[in-house]
């Protein structure tokens, strides 16, 4: 990992600086259009703390929804952010244990835990005890630089999660950084 103050060039990281054994995965923006009962069969629409109107339960509270991904986009194009609550994740599909107890908010975009706006295929979630926030990280299998803008509950140790927004992901595996 590199922690230079300005954005890195397109020059690859020196081979002698690469650290092997990092697991690379990806995370997406939850989309209500894709999560309105299609995956779970639950087509219930619910009211939620902090939000006007009703939304698909699957979009807000399922293991693929806003509560797990952090942010989602509604059918009418608004961004919804998971704030807190819900009793953690339960069951085989990792849905919110108590969706009625969860709080959400309308937001202006997708932001990481650093408060910085996330950029598709550039922002990454890291374990900040391994890679400091704001660091530029070369992911060797992808042959490009990324920036540590976020973290997540499942991001521990040598695990990097690439924010892909709504784009397809091109790598999932282990590589050097």
């Amino acid at each position: 990992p590199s922690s230079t103050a300005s954005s890195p060039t397109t020059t690859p990281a020196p081979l002698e600086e690469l650290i092997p054994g990092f697991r690379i995965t990806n995370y997406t923006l939850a989309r209500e259009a894709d999560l309105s009962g299609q995956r779970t069969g639950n087509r219930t629409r619910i009211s939620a703390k902090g939000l006007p109107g009703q939304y698909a339960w699957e979009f807000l509270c399922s293991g693929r929804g806003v509560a797990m991904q952090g942010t989602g986009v509604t059918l009418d194009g608004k961004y919804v952010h998971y704030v807190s609550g819900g009793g953690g994740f339960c069951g085989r599909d990792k849905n919110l244990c108590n969706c009625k107890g969860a709080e959400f908010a309308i937001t202006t975009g997708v932001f990481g835990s650093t408060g910085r706006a996330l950029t598709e295929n550039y922002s990454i979630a890291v374990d900040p005890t391994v890679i400091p926030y704001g660091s530029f990280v070369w992911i060797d299998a992808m042959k490009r630089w990324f920036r540590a803008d976020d973290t997540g509950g499942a991001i521990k140790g040598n695990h990097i999660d690439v924010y892909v927004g709504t784009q397809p992901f091109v790598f999932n595996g282990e590589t050097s950084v």
Side-chain angles (χ1 to χ4, degrees):
S2 170
S3 54
T4 59
S6 61
S7 180
T9 67
T10 56
T11 304
L15 289 176
E16 64 274 7
E17 290 185 18
L18 293 178
I19 303 166
F22 275 79
R23 183 171 150 232
I24 309 298
T25 56
N26 72 95
Y27 64 114
T28 63
L29 181 63
R31 293 171 26 102
E32 190 173 16
D34 300 333
L35 298 167
S36 294
Q38 298 93 316
R39 295 184 179 269
T40 64
N42 184 342
R43 297 194 181 278
T44 305
R45 295 193 63 79
I46 62 170
S47 297
K49 288 182 189 175
L51 296 178
Q54 291 194 325
Y55 302 86
W57 172 88
E58 189 177 63
F59 169 65
L60 293 179
C61 301
S62 77
R64 294 182 179 267
V66 174
M68 180 66 77
Q69 300 296 31
T71 306
V73 63
T74 65
L75 292 172
D76 61 358
K78 293 184 179 126
Y79 289 105
V80 172
H81 181 72
Y82 168 72
V83 176
S84 65
F89 293 94
C90 297
R92 184 188 64 151
D93 295 326
K94 303 292 184 210
N95 302 318
L96 273 182
C97 301
N98 174 15
C99 188
K100 289 182 181 181
E103 185 174 349
F104 300 87
I106 298 293
T107 185
T108 58
V110 184
F111 299 91
S113 56
T114 62
R116 180 177 282 172
L118 299 183
T119 304
E120 292 178 357
N121 293 308
Y122 179 68
S123 296
I124 56 177
V126 298
D127 178 338
T129 66
V130 176
I131 298 172
Y133 290 134
S135 295
F136 293 99
V137 179
W138 174 265
I139 298 180
D140 202 45
M142 298 177 77
K143 301 295 182 208
R144 44 184 261 164
W145 291 96
F146 295 81
R147 186 178 57 213
D149 291 333
D150 201 6
T151 194
I155 310 304
K156 304 286 185 221
N158 289 5
H159 181 186
I160 293 173
D161 215 12
V162 178
Y163 172 64
V164 296
T166 59
Q167 304 300 310
F169 191 58
V170 296
F171 180 82
N172 193 357
E174 193 169 297
T175 188
S176 297
V177 302

